[in-house]
Amino acid sequence: MAKIGKFALYNNQVIPTQEANLSITSSAVLYGLSIYSVFYTKRLEDGSFLVFRLADHIKRLQESSKMLGLGDVSQLLDEQFLAKISALLEANSPTNDQLFRVTIHASDPLPGIKTSNLTLDLSVFMYDADPILPPNGARLKTSSYRRVSDTAIPARAKVNGAYVNSALAREEALDAGADDALFLNQQGFVSELSAANIFIVKNDTLITPDCSSDILEGITRRSLITLAKDQGLEVIERKIALTEIYTADEAFACGTSSFVSPIIELDNRQIANGAIGTITTKLKDSLQAIFADPNSDWTTSL
Ligand code: PMP
C-alpha cells in the first residue's frame, strides 16, 4: 500500500491526516457525493517539486461540480490553493514523487438526496506515486460490468460514488488473475480501464475512444494526444470495437496514477508479440521528460 503523508489539508488548515474526518451523517459518506482529482508532483534532484497540469485538475473539479449541480467551488480552489499545497508538502517533506488527492465533499448532516445548496469541504492528502498498473506490461480482462453511462452518472465527472462501478470491474479482473478490467460501454464499444484511459496503435496511427464513449476525459490522455500530434503521429478519437484491441500493434493505458502503462494481454490474447511497443515507449519517455521540465507550460514549481 502506498505511504500516505502524515499531514493533510482540510479546508484551510494543515492537520494530522488521522484527524481529517468526515461525519457519518454527510452526503459524502451516505451517497458517495464527493468529487475529486489526483495530480502528480515530480521531485527534482535539488529537492524541489514540479506539479503536472494543476490548472487542468482544478478546471476538471470545477466542471465536475457544475455537472452535478454542487455549485461554485472557486473559493475552495482560489489563488491561495497553490500556497496551501506548498504548505502541505512542507509539512510532509517527502523524499520521492507524490500524488495529491483533492476531494470536495458534500458534508452537511443528513440533507436528503439532492445535490444543490450543500456545504462543501475541501480535503487534500498526499501519498507516494507508486503506479497502479505494472510498468512492464498489464494483463487485462474485459469486464462483465459495463461502464456507467453518461445518462446514469456522467463518467466525465469525477464523482466518488461512481467508483463502485470501477471497484466491481477491477475486483472481477483481479479475481480472474488479471491486473485490471477493460470496460465496454452500454453500446458495446471500448470505454476505459477502472481508473485509466486506453490507446491502441494500428498502422502507426494512435486511436483512442472518443469523448462520447463514456470515458473520464483524462488529463494524461489529452496530454498524450497533444504530444503525439507534435511528433507527427496521426491521432484518431473514435468508437473502438473490442476485437480491434485484440489485433492492435500496440496498446497502452494512461492516467495520473498509471502514467503510460503498456498493455500486453487482453482476455488471454497477447497484444502483437507481447513486447512493449516503440510508440508506447516514445510517448512514455516524452511525458516523463515533461514531468521533470520546469520550463514546460504544463508544470508549476512548488
Ligand atoms: N479514467 C478513470 C475512470 C480514472 O479514474 C482516471 C484517473 N483519474 C483516468 C481515466 C485518467 O485520468 P487522468 O489522466 O486525468 O488522471
Side-chain angles (χ1 to χ4, degrees):
M1 242 223 352
K3 198 167 136 259
I4 299 174
K6 284 203 171 74
F7 292 94
L9 182 74
Y10 201 83
N11 291 325
N12 289 319
Q13 279 183 300
V14 173
I15 59 173
T17 307
Q18 283 182 333
E19 290 170 24
N21 296 320
L22 267 176
S23 170
I24 58 167
T25 67
S26 65
S27 302
V29 172
L30 294 173
Y31 314 123
L33 201 54
S34 299
I35 52 174
Y36 81 98
S37 199
V38 176
F39 66 80
Y40 173 70
T41 56
K42 171 94 192 153
R43 187 177 193 269
L44 304 184
E45 274 172 16
D46 66 2
S48 65
F49 282 81
L50 285 183
V51 190
F52 185 66
R53 302 198 75 161
L54 181 62
D56 298 278
H57 285 278
I58 291 177
K59 185 159 178 264
R60 187 167 64 192
L61 280 162
Q62 286 165 337
E63 289 176 353
S64 292
S65 175
K66 186 173 187 177
M67 280 180 264
L68 292 197
L70 289 172
D72 188 10
V73 293
S74 50
Q75 7 35 304
L76 294 173
L77 302 166
D78 59 10
E79 323 72 69
Q80 305 304 317
F81 186 65
L82 190 64
K84 291 179 203 166
I85 292 298
S86 292
L88 178 61
L89 186 71
E90 207 177 307
N92 285 311
S93 299
T95 52
N96 43 17
D97 302 346
Q98 296 289 302
L99 291 169
F100 284 71
R101 191 177 180 112
V102 183
T103 312
I104 295 174
H105 315 265
S107 57
D108 287 317
L110 212 62
I113 300 181
K114 61 171 198 157
T115 65
S116 64
N117 300 317
L118 300 172
T119 306
L120 301 175
D121 282 353
L122 170 77
S123 77
V124 185
F125 67 88
M126 47 194 276
Y127 52 101
D128 289 348
D130 302 331
I132 55 171
L133 288 173
N136 296 331
R139 294 179 162 77
L140 305 187
K141 183 181 183 307
T142 302
S143 182
S144 65
Y145 295 94
R146 294 292 168 100
R147 186 73 182 122
V148 68
S149 139
D150 195 67
T151 53
I153 305 174
R156 72 171 51 75
K158 216 162 158 42
V159 187
N160 288 35
Y163 278 80
V164 173
N165 184 222
S166 289
L168 287 171
R170 185 158 180 276
E171 185 60 50
E172 181 187 60
L174 295 177
D175 290 348
D179 298 305
D180 200 356
L182 177 71
F183 271 124
L184 305 181
N185 65 9
Q186 294 295 338
Q187 288 73 44
F189 291 107
V190 172
S191 183
E192 57 182 338
L193 279 66
S194 69
N197 293 114
I198 185 165
F199 281 85
I200 57 171
V201 177
K202 269 202 176 203
N203 304 321
D204 293 327
T205 299
L206 209 52
I207 310 171
T208 192
D210 63 7
C211 290
S212 54
S213 294
D214 301 295
I215 61 166
L216 177 79
E217 294 175 15
I219 292 166
T220 320
R221 171 187 179 277
R222 182 60 49 203
S223 306
L224 291 173
I225 291 173
T226 305
L227 284 176
K229 285 184 178 165
D230 286 352
Q231 293 173 9
L233 274 174
E234 192 185 350
V235 185
I236 304 176
E237 297 176 59
R238 64 161 170 82
K239 306 273 174 268
I240 299 180
L242 176 63
T243 46
E244 292 185 86
I245 304 194
Y246 292 160
T247 55
D249 300 329
E250 300 181 29
F252 62 87
C254 71
T256 303
S257 311
S258 47
F259 305 96
V260 173
S261 298
I263 299 167
I264 55 169
E265 196 180 290
L266 171 62
D267 300 338
N268 295 320
R269 291 156 177 86
Q270 199 176 61
I271 309 287
N273 62 0
I276 298 174
T278 47
I279 292 178
T280 305
T281 305
K282 199 169 168 208
L283 287 172
K284 182 179 182 167
D285 292 348
S286 313
L287 191 65
Q288 269 169 354
I290 293 180
F291 286 155
D293 180 3
N295 298 316
S296 165
D297 290 346
W298 288 345
T299 59
T300 312
S301 295
L302 272 181

